[in-house]
């Protein structure tokens, strides 16, 4: 994300927003973690990605809905249809729908002509714009919108903690005005407190409802051409009959075979070591031979995430 626009402009935007955020928190006399940090990150993501300013009130409203969705996310996908129709689920679904509609308008205005040309490739979604709008919601509530404030929160905890259990009691002595030191601290914070614990993928696709196994298997195609299950109007458990594996990124980030005998310790290392070994942004999930790289899952906001942490530390 950061590479696609003027790096200096983005950096200046984030610095200004960080100063304003901390000044307002100081005026209020408190900083709530993770709520306030998450709202601030939402403001930054919307500004950098879409050049849209989000008020503090609107950011807090988003975080409130986000928190409800995150609480349900670990088990809601296995709920039977009847549970999804309960009043509290309907309220959450309507809230999510409102944001997806807003994102649809944003991406339609920004990328409309490019998306319309690929609508056939986005079936069974009604259009690529709607599919992308859903992806933006996922990014804002779960991906960068959740992992980034999580790591900023653990970093602040290290800086201000005086408890004996802190894994890095020297954090207060770091000169965060030194960009390299701030960046390396962020790298190690990501490594030690992995914000993305796993990276799921299917080794056996769930059988489509109303089809035979052979009919489902026929939808699997090479080069990114795999087709979705046909839409039948049924509310079906999407996991039924499938096998999903989740490589444990959190364990990989403290693997002594890669990080040495200090892997279990919070220790700031040479930046080149992180560039070579880090897996926290799913750096390994790249294969440009598949669909021209369209199936890559490496985090596109990696540089923005590191820059946000680096700048945030300097202004604390």
């Amino acid at each position: 994300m950061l590479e696609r626009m003027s790096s200096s402009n983005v950096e200046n935007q984030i610095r200004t927003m960080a100063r304003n955020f901390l000044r307002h928190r100081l005026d209020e006399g408190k900083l709530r973690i993770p709520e306030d940090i998450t709202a601030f990150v939402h403001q930054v993501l919307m500004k950098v990605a879409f050049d849209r300013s989000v008020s503090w009130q609107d950011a807090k409203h988003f975080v409130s809905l986000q928190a409800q969705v995150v609480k349900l996310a670990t088990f809601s996908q296995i709920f039977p249809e009847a549970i999804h129709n309960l009043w509290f689920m309907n309220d959450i679904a309507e809230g999510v729908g409102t944001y997806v509609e807003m994102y649809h308008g944003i991406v339609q205005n920004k990328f409309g002509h490019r998306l319309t040309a690929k609508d056939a490739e986005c079936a069974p979604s009604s259009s690529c714009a709607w599919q992308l709008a859903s992806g933006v919601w996922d990014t804002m509530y779960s991906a960068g919108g959740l992992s980034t404030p999580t790591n900023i929160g653990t970093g602040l905890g290290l800086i201000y903690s005086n408890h004996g259990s802190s894994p890095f009691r020297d954090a207060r002595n770091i000169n965060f005005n030194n960009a390299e030191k701030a960046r390396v601290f962020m790298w190690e914070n990501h490594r030690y407190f992995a914000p993305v614990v796993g990276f799921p993928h299917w080794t056996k696709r769930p059988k489509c409802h109303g089809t035979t196994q052979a009919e489902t298997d026929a939808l699997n195609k090479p080069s990114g051409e795999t087709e979705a299950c046909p839409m039948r109007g049924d509310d079906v458990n999407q996991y039924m009959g499938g096998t999903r594996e989740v490589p444990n990124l959190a364990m990989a980030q403290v693997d002594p075979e890669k990080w040495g005998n200090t892997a279990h310790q919070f220790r700031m290392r040479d930046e080149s070591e992180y560039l070579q070994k880090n897996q926290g942004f799913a750096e390994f999930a790249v294969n440009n031979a598949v669909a021209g790289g369209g199936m890559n899952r490496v985090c596109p906001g990696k540089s923005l995430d590191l820059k946000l942490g680096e700048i945030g530390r300097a202004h604390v």
Side-chain angles (χ1 to χ4, degrees), residues 93-152:
E94 288 175 7
V96 172
T98 297
Y99 276 103
V100 173
E101 287 183 11
M102 181 185 74
Y103 297 143
H104 177 264
I106 293 173
V107 300
Q108 186 66 43
N109 289 335
K110 193 173 182 67
F111 309 111
H113 64 290
R114 294 165 57 188
L115 294 172
T116 301
K118 294 181 175 292
D119 276 348
E121 300 175 25
C122 292
S125 298
S126 58
S127 71
C128 287
W130 281 112
Q131 192 174 104
L132 180 56
S134 178
V136 172
W137 161 256
D138 287 342
T139 299
M140 294 295 174
Y141 104 85
S142 178
L146 186 62
S147 59
T148 297
T150 297
N151 258 124
I152 292 177

Side-chain angles (χ1 to χ4, degrees), residues 42-208:
H42 180 68
Q43 289 180 311
V44 171
L45 291 178
M46 288 297 291
K47 186 65 177 177
V48 172
F50 301 117
D51 194 26
R52 291 176 69 95
S53 296
V54 176
S55 71
W56 184 248
Q57 181 178 0
D58 287 345
K60 295 287 283 187
H61 178 271
F62 175 88
V63 169
S64 176
L65 177 64
Q66 177 190 34
Q68 296 178 69
V69 175
V70 170
K71 287 177 182 177
L72 291 171
T74 55
F75 51 85
S76 63
Q77 291 169 324
I78 61 174
F79 280 174
E81 180 179 2
I83 298 295
H84 286 274
N85 291 328
L86 293 179
W87 63 268
F88 69 92
M89 292 291 286
N90 286 335
D91 288 346
I92 294 173
E94 288 175 7
V96 172
T98 297
Y99 276 103
V100 173
E101 287 183 11
M102 181 185 74
Y103 297 143
H104 177 264
I106 293 173
V107 300
Q108 186 66 43
N109 289 335
K110 193 173 182 67
F111 309 111
H113 64 290
R114 294 165 57 188
L115 294 172
T116 301
K118 294 181 175 292
D119 276 348
E121 300 175 25
C122 292
S125 298
S126 58
S127 71
C128 287
W130 281 112
Q131 192 174 104
L132 180 56
S134 178
V136 172
W137 161 256
D138 287 342
T139 299
M140 294 295 174
Y141 104 85
S142 178
L146 186 62
S147 59
T148 297
T150 297
N151 258 124
I152 292 177
T154 55
L156 289 172
L158 289 173
I159 294 171
Y160 289 106
S161 175
N162 56 11
H163 196 273
S165 64
S166 173
F168 191 58
R169 281 176 277 179
D170 291 333
R172 284 195 177 190
N173 299 324
I174 297 174
N175 176 15
F176 288 107
N177 288 314
N178 182 312
E180 182 179 357
K181 290 185 182 297
R183 191 167 58 250
V184 169
F185 177 83
M186 190 66 175
W187 272 115
E188 180 64 5
N189 187 38
H190 268 279
R191 186 193 73 84
Y192 193 86
F193 298 104
V196 180
V197 176
F199 190 75
H201 68 285
W202 293 101
T203 56
K204 180 180 182 298
R205 175 178 178 169
K207 185 170 73 70
C208 298

